[in-house]
Each structure stands twice: as structure tokens, then as C-alpha cells.
Amino acid sequence: MTDTLGQPHWMTAPATAAVFDALEAVGGPDCARFVGGCVRNALVGRPIDDIDIATRLTPEQVTAALQAAGIRALPTGIEHGTVTAISSHLPHEITTLRRDVSTDGRRATVAFTDDWHEDAERRDFTLNALYARRDGGIFDPTGHGVADARAGRIVFVGDPEQRLREDHLRNLRFFRFYAWFGKGAPDPAAVAACAALKDSVDNLAAERISKELLKLLAADDPRAAVRLMAETGVLDVVLKLPADLGRFEALCGIEGDQLFENDPVLRLAALLPSDQVAAARLAERLRLSNPDRDRIVAALSPTPVMKSWMSPREIRREVYRGGRGTFRDRAKLAWAAAPRTATTMQWRGLIALADGWSPPSLPLTGEEVMNAGVPKGPLVGRVIREVEDWWVDNDFLEDKLSIIEKLKAVAQGMVY
């Protein structure tokens, strides 16, 4: 019996049907098939994020066919046979069937083919080497992709070491797909190959490593995959720092109760040692974005010490000083690292109080400072900062008269 996806809406939507109609007008029936992630996700009941299409047509034929049908064609990866069709504002990535001519672990030279089996042989995992016709019928060239997808087995197409030597990124992709789709024990041959070739990950561009790592950490429960990365030595190659697996796994457990969203950046911070300098160096080496770098460094700040029994006054002060986002990050990391003596309710209450409080603005202007006798210039800022420190220590006093009296005392002490 032939496996089928049926004909879900994403396959028969007018925008997608228009793309297939355009290709078939040139190449005939079944010259194009859905491929990869959309087929895999539909098979296992996951959302469809992108629509990828494989075709026997050359990139030039694809472009001509789309343009003849009035569909915009973008040469997004023309040297590797990829053209993106924009149909009713929706992108469809169309790639000509390919076979590898040569690879160096980072780049591949390809030749186009019209053989679906050759195209499948160059793909990474059996669950990604799946194709579907317009009628929903699945074509499984390896003979194992459908069964592996349903069973949650991440198995390389062909020889694992050969696949890894062709593209070093596949080492990280194995763990990422295991985090997202894996069930049960990992494939022993794949694990052994990833461990044997772990050092090849160092040959990858930093941006490719960080992108793959953050995708892995965004899975609902990446704990088993990250633990496996540590056991194979791949995690050491990526981080080059001792990993705090205990805090990381505890954080994932906190997020797993649906109180918080899955947060790959904070999960990365949890994996790192509590060393802001080392974390900043890692962020620079992996070329994380500046906001992600700054967030990780702030989350790992050693002071003030976060405690589940912080008073509302202390919470307000820290939210005002560091921002609500940093407070939440630091509280969740402290929660993950804390002995299980503090109750979940305490930590939740602490974060809820921070979320529910809107920091006020200091009710003091530069003009008021100068009216108190402080000359225009840097001294104005110094006075404001000292008054602000007093105001925060007094739990954001709303008494304007008391603030002005404090201003006068500070101004007198600085000016005279």
C-alpha cells in the first residue's frame, strides 16, 4: 500500500497549485514534487513552515515557466539550482534535482539530474529524503524514510561518516533533528560517526554553528539531545567551555510546565558557566547578535544574588535597575540552579510581581536641579543620580516635596 498524505490545504492552496501548474505546463505531469520538511512535518503531524519543491526542470526552465505564468521568480540559490517562486505573496522554494560532484565539508559542487534517487542519495537523513506528488502520494527512495519519521529515528542516508564529511554542519543537524523529532534511543551508527568527526565542526562558519545551536535549543525538550552532544564531545567543540548541564536541564523543566515559552537564548545562558567574561567571549566567537550577547551576559551577572524570598521592595529595585527582562532571566536561572527547598510557588510569585509592576520615572528634571543652585554641566547629572539612588532606596517615594528637599541637601553638599 502506498503511503499518502491525502490532500491537506497547504498542498492544494491556490498559490501552490499555480506554481505546480506553471511547472507542469513545461515539464509535464509529475515533473515536480513536494520535498523535505513539508512532507516530513505533514507525515508526523507537525505544522508546515515552508513549502519546498523538487523538480526535474533546470533552473532556467523553472524561471521561464514561472514568468510565463505571471509568477515572480527569484534566483535565491541559482548556482545550486534553487529558484524561489512568489505566488500570491507566498514563497515556494524550487530546487532542481541534484547530485554531488565534489564536496569539501563546507561547499558542494553539484550537477543537475532528472533522477529522484540520485537527489535523495545526497540528502542528510532518511526522514528528510521524502517526496510527495500533488495527489499526496509519498515517494520514499531510501525505503526507510516514512518508517523512520513515524518512529522518530534520525538515520543518515547511506554511510553516516560519508554524509558528515560531505557537510560538517550535518553533525549539528543530527542533534537538532534528534531534539525536534527523535524518540527513544538514538541511532548508534549516527552517534558514533558524530563523535568520531566532532572536530570537523570547528571548520564551520560561526554563524552556521550559532544558528543551528539556537534552533536545537528552541525544541520543546532539547535535554536528551544536548546530553548526547556532551557525551559525544560535540558540545565541547561548540562551546569550548564547561557546560552546566544541571542548570540547563532544570531550566528546560521549568519551561516545560508551560509557565514560560521555550527560550533558546536563555537556555544557552543556562548551559554556560557563571562567568560573564567567558560568556561574552563565546558570544563574540559564535557571532551572536549584540542583543543576544548583552542578554546572556546580563543574565549571568553574579549580583545581586537572586533569592526566592526577595521582598517586593527588593524586586522593584532590581527591576528598575536592570529591567524587567533581565530580572526574569536572572530569576529563572537562579530558580534552575537553586536547591529544591524553595517552592515553585515562591519563584512564580517573584516573577509575577516583577511582571505586574511598571517602573516609574524619577519625578525630577534638570531644570529643577539647576534651580536648586547646581550650575549647568556634568554636575547636574551627578546630582540627579544621587537623588535617584536615594529615591530608589526609599521604594520610589511619591512625595514630591521630600524629593525636592533631598535635592536641596544633595546640591548643597556638592556645590558648596
Side-chain angles (χ1 to χ4, degrees):
M1 179 179 176
T2 303
D3 290 289
T4 181
L5 298 177
Q7 287 193 299
H9 177 264
W10 64 269
M11 293 182 72
T12 60
T16 302
V19 172
F20 271 83
D21 288 343
L23 298 175
E24 290 181 352
V26 172
D30 201 31
C31 71
R33 298 173 182 176
F34 298 99
V35 67
C38 58
V39 181
R40 176 199 66 227
N41 283 18
L43 188 64
V44 300
R46 297 285 185 93
I48 308 304
D49 300 319
D50 303 299
I51 297 178
D52 292 339
I53 298 168
T55 181
R56 290 191 178 105
L57 300 179
T58 66
E60 293 76 19
Q61 289 174 314
V62 170
T63 300
L66 294 173
Q67 291 175 343
I71 299 173
R72 188 180 178 198
L74 302 176
T76 47
I78 199 72
E79 68 280 4
H80 292 106
T82 301
V83 176
T84 298
I86 307 298
S87 178
S88 299
H89 307 291
L90 297 175
H92 300 70
E93 192 170 277
I94 305 166
T95 303
T96 301
L97 301 181
R98 302 172 292 182
R99 59 182 174 82
D100 287 338
V101 174
S102 63
T103 63
D104 64 1
R106 289 176 294 177
R107 294 171 296 273
T109 301
V110 301
F112 301 134
T113 180
D114 61 0
D115 188 327
W116 298 99
H117 287 86
E118 276 194 314
D119 188 73
E121 287 171 1
R122 70 176 302 278
R123 294 183 178 270
D124 49 12
F125 309 113
T126 56
L127 82 172
N128 290 336
L130 293 171
Y131 306 77
R133 302 178 181 88
R134 291 186 74 174
D135 64 3
I138 297 175
F139 175 57
D140 183 1
T142 70
H144 304 286
V146 170
D148 287 344
R150 287 175 172 161
R153 292 189 294 263
I154 314 304
V155 180
F156 282 99
V157 174
D159 178 61
E161 289 201 10
Q162 181 181 343
R163 293 283 88 80
L164 291 172
R165 288 193 175 94
E166 290 168 350
D167 184 351
H168 303 320
L169 189 65
R170 287 172 175 165
N171 201 316
L172 298 182
R173 283 172 63 83
F174 170 77
F175 297 101
R176 195 242 293 184
F177 277 92
Y178 186 64
W180 280 89
F181 297 97
K183 300 174 186 176
D187 178 59
V191 173
C194 289
L197 298 175
K198 65 181 183 297
D199 292 332
S200 64
V201 172
D202 256 342
N203 297 323
L204 294 168
E207 294 88 348
R208 298 187 79 193
I209 295 174
S210 58
K211 183 178 180 180
E212 203 65 33
L213 180 61
L214 291 174
K215 283 182 178 179
L216 186 164
L217 294 176
D220 283 343
D221 189 352
R223 286 176 287 189
V226 171
R227 202 178 309 124
L228 188 60
M229 285 183 75
E231 291 169 2
T232 57
V234 174
L235 190 61
D236 286 340
V237 175
V238 171
L239 298 183
K240 303 189 189 308
L241 291 169
D244 191 336
L245 289 175
R247 180 169 62 183
F248 165 75
E249 294 193 0
L251 176 66
C252 291
I254 292 169
E255 293 178 326
D257 72 0
Q258 299 183 346
L259 174 63
F260 306 108
E261 70 286 353
N262 299 338
D263 190 333
V265 175
L266 187 60
R267 286 174 172 180
L268 177 55
L271 263 177
L272 303 180
S274 296
D275 182 334
Q276 288 180 296
V277 174
R281 287 174 180 161
L282 173 89
E284 293 294 337
R285 180 170 58 79
L286 293 184
R287 298 187 182 177
L288 299 180
S289 69
N290 289 343
D292 285 350
R293 176 201 64 204
D294 293 345
R295 182 185 174 195
I296 289 171
V297 170
L300 294 173
S301 173
T303 56
V305 176
M306 302 294 290
K307 306 177 293 292
S308 65
W309 58 89
M310 290 174 75
S311 70
R313 182 170 180 164
E314 289 176 303
I315 293 170
R316 287 190 288 269
R317 182 176 65 231
E318 298 313 319
V319 170
Y320 182 84
R321 291 297 191 195
R324 182 181 289 113
T326 295
F327 184 89
R328 282 173 58 88
D329 286 348
R330 296 196 63 238
K332 287 164 73 173
L333 289 184
W335 181 359
R340 295 298 171 242
T341 52
T343 66
T344 294
M345 188 175 296
Q346 283 179 298
W347 287 108
R348 287 185 177 184
L350 179 120
I351 293 172
L353 196 155
D355 286 346
W357 182 68
S358 296
S361 298
L362 175 66
L364 186 65
T365 67
E367 183 177 356
E368 288 173 322
V369 173
M370 288 186 286
N371 288 342
V374 179
K376 185 177 182 179
L379 195 56
V380 171
R382 287 176 54 196
V383 170
I384 289 177
R385 285 190 293 274
E386 185 162 334
V387 175
E388 182 181 36
D389 288 341
W390 168 86
W391 176 67
V392 171
D393 287 341
N394 282 273
D395 202 20
F396 310 96
L397 192 69
E398 295 181 3
D399 183 357
K400 180 71 173 186
L401 182 59
S402 295
I403 294 171
I404 293 300
E405 288 301 315
K406 179 62 177 179
L407 165 63
K408 291 177 181 178
V410 172
Q412 185 175 22
M414 285 193 177
V415 175
Y416 304 104

